[in-house]
Amino acid sequence: MREKVLWALARFIYRYHRWILAVGLAVSIFMGYCYSRLDLHLNFIDLLDKNEPVVKTYDYAARNFGTLAFLFLVLETDDLDQGKKYAAALSPRLIKHPDFVRRVYYKHDVPLIIDHLYYFLPLADLEELSRFAKENQDHLKKLWAEPGLNHTLALLDHSLYQTLSRGELPAEDQGKNFSRIFSAQDSLFDFLEKNVKEGPQDFHSWKTALIQKITGAQFEGIPFNLSDPYLVSKDQRHLLVLIAPPKPANDFVYATDFVNAVNAELAGLDREIPGVRHYLTGNAAVMRDDNIIVRQDMIRTTLISYTLIVLLFALSFRNLASIIFASVCLALGLVWAYGAAYLMVGYLTAITAVFGAILLGLGIDYAILILSRYTEERHCGHSIEESLEITLSKTGKGILTGATATSLAFFSISTGTFQGGKEMGLIAGSGIIIFFLIMTFILSSLLVAWDSRKSITGVTQTQWNPVIMKRLSALVVKAPVPIFTILLGFFAAMVYMTPKYQFEYNYLNMEAQSAESVQLINKITGWFGLSTNFGMVLSDNIDQDRKLAGQLRTKETTGQVDAISNFIPEDPDAKKSLVEKIAGVLDFAQPSKPAPATPEFQAGDVEELLELLGSISEKMKGIEGLAYLSDMDEIEQAAKKSRDRINGLMEIVKDQPREKTARNLNPLNSELAVKIPWLLARAKLISLAGAISYEFLRKDHPELVERYQGKDGKYLIYVYPNREIWEEQNMKAVVRDLKSVSPTAMGVAILFNRILDQLKKDMAKVAIIALGVVFIIILLDYRGLWHTLLTMIPLVFAAIAMVGMMNLLGIKFNFVNIGMLPLIIGISIDYGVYVVHRWIGEGKGIKSIPTVVESTGRAVSLAALTTMIGFGSIIPARWQG
């Protein structure tokens, strides 16, 4: 039946070849228009089904919050103050571009926290501070009136006395952390020792370090350093600036314009504030770079594939007409395939972007087989019509079976759950059908039109001399057993290697390694201890926001949690009375007139200093004893260490001339005389400020609320991992921690992990379906199990050998190439189909082998080479996937 249909199809093409060419031209024009509208989508979200829960949540959040990704700007400088100046000057420049910049985040909201600092203390710590203020109010009054070094130490001495007088230490979970306080106290004595020995030191640096020690674990819910609001790296050479666009930068044109606008402002500021280097990464920068690189790769790989295939074709057929016909049909097939991709999907992804090169390598196979058989029949003396009838009814039957099996194998990928795979299967499967139709109708029509010209008197296609294939066929006939034994040994080795396959989780390894935006992603994690691929958790209200943020902070993979609840203190009503008590003490302590000028530090002050240090040392010994009796080993050791440091300082002071000590300490004494009244006055102002509420933020800091609250009133918590997510164990750990807090958590780690889960689930399922579809098509074709199994042998052999060779060469499966498994099944089956079909057509038996190898074997070898070129032409692509 198939032979009759194909025979009738050959007659139809012979009679109406001009009409077929005209229709082909019209369709090509239409498909060319569709091709021109084809877009490129490179986001992870585009690879998942729109009905996926993670996608729905992500889409909802994007609509509700405007943007879920930042452009990360890293400023590198040898002068940190210059870098801070650069960041501060850049922010207002960027805000002038509302189409691209919604807000700029280059430092934490420290002033807001400081202005209401007491309310951010844990209740037990605030109680302890209130008690400290009440018990030491007379010393605070004296210190405020006569500030200086010795009065500062006198306050410390009296506070220790009050602790000892109570006869017990507060429990760790009820009061201040004594170990931390001793650490801050030791910092004071270290700084004092340096001043005694070496003279004046940098007061500002010590103050910053002291604040870090005191506030390191003191203020619950504040995820940043109160001593320095800027986002500074561990090496103190880099600053981070986060730039938020008003909408997701998923579109290539928008992402490019966005990055260009930022770069323009950077270039202008470079001239005003030199010495600061800058680098960009984040979704918009990577999107722009990926689009540019992938578009270039599409053009480059397609041109390489097309050129090499045409050259190979030319070397094989050595006939200008055949070369031109095949080249035109290849170009049409590519345009039609991409046009169909637009009609079916509307865009290409990272997986389907370079399919043009692969389809060229596959589509030319049909041209090779048709031209080979047509030329062979023409040189046997058959007419144009007879040659076309024999070609399509005999070889065409194998081509039809192969194309059907290949396209269905490709379409089987669409049965999986992975949206990117579905689109790949749809585009690849339809591409095969398109190339089959073009080669069958357009190429055959071109051959008929060319050979039917009145000026033609004989065969126009050059006859080929299969010298190499004749030698190969002779070898196959003479030594089938040794050949099969060698191949079997190789196959056994590949079977051994197959289970050793690995999967590439690191998506960055598939990116273009030369792109600055890609290189910077890992560097940011090293510099700042935070991953740019943050997670996101939704909350319904402030209380839930605080609860979820607190749970997230306890997770092993969490580096920083950024939430609106960071700025709204817990239990403000319970803390209000304690803050008012502190305010009352500071109001009592504040002098009615400014403190007089502090006299110079004299030798007599050094003697007083020694007395104070001795008194503090004795009290530390008492605390050490209390800690021993209370079985508080950590406090005992901290107190002993602090006492040893004080005693060491006393020895240095005693061994040094009093005049020198006084001269070295005088600048510090003067500095404290200025700073202490200012700090106490600031502390009083803070005590008079009320607690921060949502209403207060809404009124006075709307930009902060906008950062966290969506249009529907829900809140967004940003969770920055403390590790790069692209290693398998890191990704799984980050996803586990996020999901354990909120099942609806979002983020790149969750999206990519979902893609990998779907791929792994689909891989075996789709491969089995593809294999089953191919088996059924071949079985229906041959109507016998023996010929079907014979055709399947090369396919199974090649698939196992491919995986084995991948493991031998250290090539890992990744989310792009894993989809090639069913493609390989669809491609590989063709060669077995062509060979077995010709073998059956030649009458089977040993005598038919030479004809099969020399004719169809040559065509199959050439087809395999062109397919290898199609795949191999992707190797020069910069996008490593």
Side-chain angles (χ1 to χ4, degrees):
M1 176 61 69
R2 276 181 302 151
E3 282 192 22
K4 290 179 180 179
V5 170
L6 291 169
W7 197 286
L9 179 62
R11 290 182 176 180
F12 175 83
I13 293 172
Y14 178 77
R15 291 177 183 174
Y16 301 104
H17 59 273
R18 291 186 179 86
W19 282 103
I20 291 171
L21 293 175
V23 171
L25 179 61
V27 173
S28 299
I29 293 171
F30 173 72
M31 287 299 192
Y33 167 76
C34 294
Y35 179 19
S36 68
R37 299 178 61 84
L38 192 62
D39 201 1
L40 190 60
H41 290 187
L42 298 179
N43 265 0
F44 290 142
I45 205 78
D46 295 318
L47 297 175
L48 290 168
D49 193 295
K50 302 303 179 188
N51 294 316
E52 279 278 326
V54 291
V55 176
K56 285 184 174 180
T57 305
Y58 191 92
D59 286 343
Y60 152 75
R63 292 192 306 271
N64 196 28
F65 293 92
T67 179
L68 300 178
F70 296 112
L71 183 64
F72 291 85
L73 168 64
V74 175
L75 304 177
E76 185 178 62
T77 177
D78 298 324
D79 183 351
L80 200 58
D81 289 334
Q82 187 82 338
K84 292 177 180 179
K85 179 181 176 184
Y86 192 102
L90 178 64
S91 179
R93 287 171 174 254
L94 294 176
I95 292 296
K96 291 189 301 183
H97 300 276
D99 290 340
F100 301 116
V101 180
R102 184 182 183 186
R103 62 178 180 270
V104 180
Y105 181 38
Y106 66 96
K107 62 180 180 180
H108 300 295
D109 298 275
V110 168
L112 177 63
I113 299 294
I114 294 293
D115 287 346
H116 306 265
L117 193 60
Y118 295 131
Y119 284 95
F120 288 96
L121 282 168
L123 185 60
D125 285 0
L126 187 60
E127 289 173 346
E128 187 65 27
L129 181 61
S130 175
R131 182 165 61 180
F132 167 85
K134 186 66 178 174
E135 291 176 346
N136 295 280
Q137 62 180 359
D138 292 333
H139 277 75
L140 283 169
K141 185 178 182 70
K142 187 175 182 180
L143 177 63
W144 204 335
E146 301 176 36
L149 176 58
N150 283 346
H151 284 168
T152 303
L153 293 176
L155 175 63
L156 174 60
D157 181 54
H158 188 262
S159 69
L160 292 172
Y161 165 76
Q162 292 291 347
T163 300
L164 282 170
S165 66
R166 289 193 295 271
E168 63 179 2
L169 299 174
E172 286 283 337
D173 58 347
Q174 294 176 338
K176 59 186 176 182
N177 185 327
F178 265 57
S179 301
R180 187 175 72 250
I181 293 299
F182 290 157
S183 175
Q185 177 180 290
D186 291 345
S187 172
L188 167 63
F189 292 126
D190 283 341
F191 186 66
L192 189 56
E193 182 179 311
K194 286 182 179 179
N195 278 268
V196 169
K197 291 166 61 177
E198 304 169 16
Q201 302 293 309
D202 184 357
F203 183 85
H204 177 74
S205 297
W206 168 72
K207 185 186 75 172
T208 301
L210 182 65
I211 292 173
Q212 284 181 312
K213 285 180 179 293
I214 293 174
T215 64
Q218 183 95 5
F219 300 101
E220 294 179 343
I222 301 176
F224 43 78
N225 176 13
L226 291 177
S227 65
D228 189 351
Y230 287 85
L231 313 180
V232 181
S233 65
K234 300 172 186 176
D235 63 5
Q236 298 290 299
R237 294 186 64 246
H238 301 88
L239 291 98
L240 190 60
V241 178
L242 278 61
I243 306 167
K247 63 179 183 179
N250 297 336
D251 175 72
F252 167 58
V253 175
Y254 180 77
T256 302
D257 292 342
F258 175 25
V259 174
N260 289 344
V262 173
N263 278 327
E265 293 298 341
L266 291 171
L269 196 55
D270 286 344
R271 292 188 288 270
E272 297 177 23
I273 308 177
V276 179
R277 298 168 293 280
H278 38 75
Y279 315 97
L280 288 171
T281 189
N283 189 61
V286 173
M287 171 70 67
R288 180 202 60 170
D289 292 347
D290 275 358
N291 265 274
I292 292 171
I293 289 167
V294 172
R295 288 170 194 270
Q296 291 173 347
D297 285 344
M298 285 177 64
I299 296 170
R300 182 186 298 112
T301 57
T302 303
L303 285 176
I304 291 172
S305 178
Y306 187 85
T307 303
L308 291 179
I309 286 170
V310 170
L311 284 174
L312 180 62
F313 191 89
L315 288 172
S316 301
F317 285 89
R318 300 180 185 181
N319 178 268
L320 184 60
S322 298
I323 296 168
I324 292 173
F325 296 159
S327 302
V328 169
C329 290
L330 273 182
L332 291 180
L334 193 64
V335 172
W336 287 27
Y338 277 135
Y342 169 76
L343 293 173
M344 292 183 295
V345 180
Y347 56 85
L348 298 177
T349 65
I351 296 177
T352 55
V354 290
F355 250 85
I358 296 173
L359 285 174
L360 287 174
L362 299 175
I364 194 64
D365 293 359
Y366 307 134
I368 291 169
L369 289 161
I370 289 172
L371 271 169
S372 295
R373 188 62 184 266
Y374 179 80
T375 302
E376 182 182 341
E377 298 305 327
R378 287 286 282 144
H379 282 280
C380 288
H382 293 115
S383 66
I384 298 171
E385 187 175 8
E386 290 171 340
S387 298
L388 189 62
E389 289 170 349
I390 295 170
T391 298
L392 293 188
S393 63
K394 301 296 183 182
T395 300
K397 189 165 65 170
I399 294 173
L400 177 61
T401 301
T404 304
T406 302
S407 61
L408 288 177
F410 288 2
F411 283 132
S412 67
I413 306 175
S414 299
T415 62
T417 55
F418 178 46
Q419 183 64 26
K422 291 180 179 180
E423 292 169 3
M424 178 175 67
L426 198 61
I427 292 172
S430 60
I432 289 298
I433 293 173
I434 284 169
F435 271 95
F436 168 76
L437 293 174
I438 285 177
M439 296 307 174
T440 301
F441 285 91
I442 306 297
L443 178 60
S444 297
S445 296
L446 286 171
L447 289 172
V448 173
W450 182 259
D451 280 1
S452 298
R453 290 177 303 150
K454 293 181 179 179
S455 58
I456 299 298
T457 56
V459 180
T460 59
Q461 280 71 37
T462 306
Q463 187 175 16
W464 40 269
N465 185 15
V467 177
I468 297 175
M469 302 310 293
K470 283 183 177 180
R471 292 174 181 172
L472 185 59
S473 68
L475 181 63
V476 169
V477 171
K478 291 178 182 177
V481 175
I483 291 173
F484 188 76
T485 302
I486 293 170
L487 292 175
L488 197 60
F490 174 73
F491 179 69
M494 293 299 99
V495 169
Y496 172 76
M497 291 298 300
T498 297
K500 302 179 185 295
Y501 76 89
Q502 292 179 297
F503 198 93
E504 176 63 84
Y505 279 83
N506 194 336
Y507 177 77
L508 296 184
N509 288 342
M510 287 178 273
E511 289 275 7
Q513 300 302 298
S514 59
E516 178 187 285
S517 58
V518 174
Q519 295 174 356
L520 196 58
I521 292 174
N522 282 329
K523 292 180 181 178
I524 285 179
T525 306
W527 287 334
F528 298 93
L530 300 172
S531 171
T532 59
N533 297 299
F534 51 85
M536 291 162 283
V537 171
L538 291 168
S539 64
D540 295 325
N541 51 61
I542 300 296
D543 290 337
Q544 186 187 41
D545 193 88
R546 181 178 289 108
K547 178 183 176 182
L548 293 174
Q551 292 175 356
L552 289 164
R553 288 189 186 96
T554 65
K555 300 302 179 181
E556 179 188 357
T557 62
T558 300
Q560 178 175 307
V561 178
D562 198 8
I564 193 170
S565 56
N566 293 348
F567 302 93
I568 302 177
E570 192 173 8
D571 298 328
D573 294 336
K575 295 174 180 178
K576 184 178 180 181
S577 61
L578 296 170
V579 175
E580 288 174 348
K581 288 180 181 179
I582 295 172
V585 170
L586 291 172
D587 185 59
F588 163 80
Q590 186 173 20
S592 57
K593 55 183 179 179
T598 303
E600 289 191 6
F601 206 75
Q602 303 291 337
D605 295 319
V606 176
E607 294 298 335
E608 185 183 354
L609 173 70
L610 280 170
E611 290 178 13
L612 286 166
L613 289 174
S615 179
I616 292 171
S617 176
E618 285 300 313
K619 291 179 178 64
M620 293 303 298
K621 186 176 181 180
I623 289 175
E624 187 182 336
L626 271 180
Y628 172 77
L629 293 173
S630 303
D631 199 25
M632 295 181 174
D633 292 339
E634 186 178 349
I635 293 179
E636 180 187 355
Q637 294 303 317
K640 183 178 184 304
K641 182 181 177 183
S642 185
R643 184 164 62 88
D644 291 342
R645 181 172 276 105
I646 295 168
N647 291 339
L649 173 60
M650 290 173 63
E651 292 300 321
I652 294 171
V653 174
K654 288 176 182 178
D655 292 343
Q656 187 168 272
R658 300 292 187 267
E659 291 75 12
K660 181 180 178 181
T661 301
R663 189 169 55 252
N664 287 348
L665 290 178
N666 188 57
L668 174 61
N669 188 60
S670 300
E671 187 81 34
L672 289 172
V674 174
K675 290 291 191 297
I676 287 173
W678 181 87
L679 287 171
L680 289 171
R682 184 85 172 96
K684 181 182 176 182
L685 282 175
I686 293 170
S687 70
L688 296 174
I692 298 176
S693 63
Y694 170 79
E695 291 72 22
F696 169 80
L697 291 178
R698 194 61 163 161
K699 179 182 176 183
D700 291 10
H701 298 273
E703 76 291 342
L704 193 146
V705 174
E706 186 186 71
R707 187 193 310 172
Y708 301 103
Q709 190 172 31
K711 298 172 184 176
D712 66 351
K714 290 191 176 184
Y715 301 98
L716 192 63
I717 303 172
Y718 298 89
V719 190
Y720 294 86
N722 56 15
R723 61 200 69 186
E724 193 46 72
I725 66 169
W726 296 118
E727 297 301 328
E728 178 181 5
Q729 64 274 17
N730 289 351
M731 181 181 295
K732 290 186 177 299
V734 169
V735 172
R736 181 194 64 234
D737 285 352
L738 287 171
K739 288 288 189 180
S740 68
V741 173
S742 172
T744 59
M746 301 168 287
V748 172
I750 290 174
L751 288 174
F752 196 69
N753 188 67
R754 181 60 180 155
I755 288 172
L756 295 179
D757 284 346
Q758 288 188 346
L759 276 172
K760 288 183 174 182
K761 188 188 298 182
D762 287 352
M763 181 173 67
K765 170 188 167 185
V766 169
I768 291 171
I769 291 174
L771 201 61
V773 167
V774 165
F775 182 82
I776 292 170
I777 293 296
I778 305 304
L779 187 64
L780 290 173
D781 182 32
Y782 293 128
R783 300 179 188 178
L785 189 60
W786 162 241
H787 292 149
T788 302
L789 293 175
L790 190 62
T791 303
M792 297 286 285
I793 285 173
L795 186 154
V796 175
F797 184 104
I800 292 174
M802 181 192 73
V803 179
M805 286 301 295
M806 285 177 66
N807 300 332
L808 197 63
L809 297 171
I811 300 171
K812 298 179 181 179
F813 279 109
N814 59 51
F815 92 102
V816 177
N817 67 28
I818 198 171
M820 293 298 141
L821 283 175
L823 298 189
I824 291 298
I825 292 171
I827 294 164
S828 300
I829 195 62
D830 288 2
Y831 307 138
V833 168
Y834 302 149
V835 170
V836 174
H837 257 281
R838 187 63 186 268
W839 180 63
I840 295 171
E842 294 295 328
K844 308 180 185 179
I846 195 71
K847 291 183 180 179
S848 65
I849 293 297
T851 303
V852 172
V853 175
E854 291 167 20
S855 179
T856 303
R858 173 183 178 274
V860 164
S861 299
L862 189 58
L865 283 171
T866 57
T867 301
M868 289 168 65
I869 288 172
F871 278 95
S873 64
I874 305 173
I875 292 172
R878 290 174 61 198
W879 204 81
Q880 294 300 298

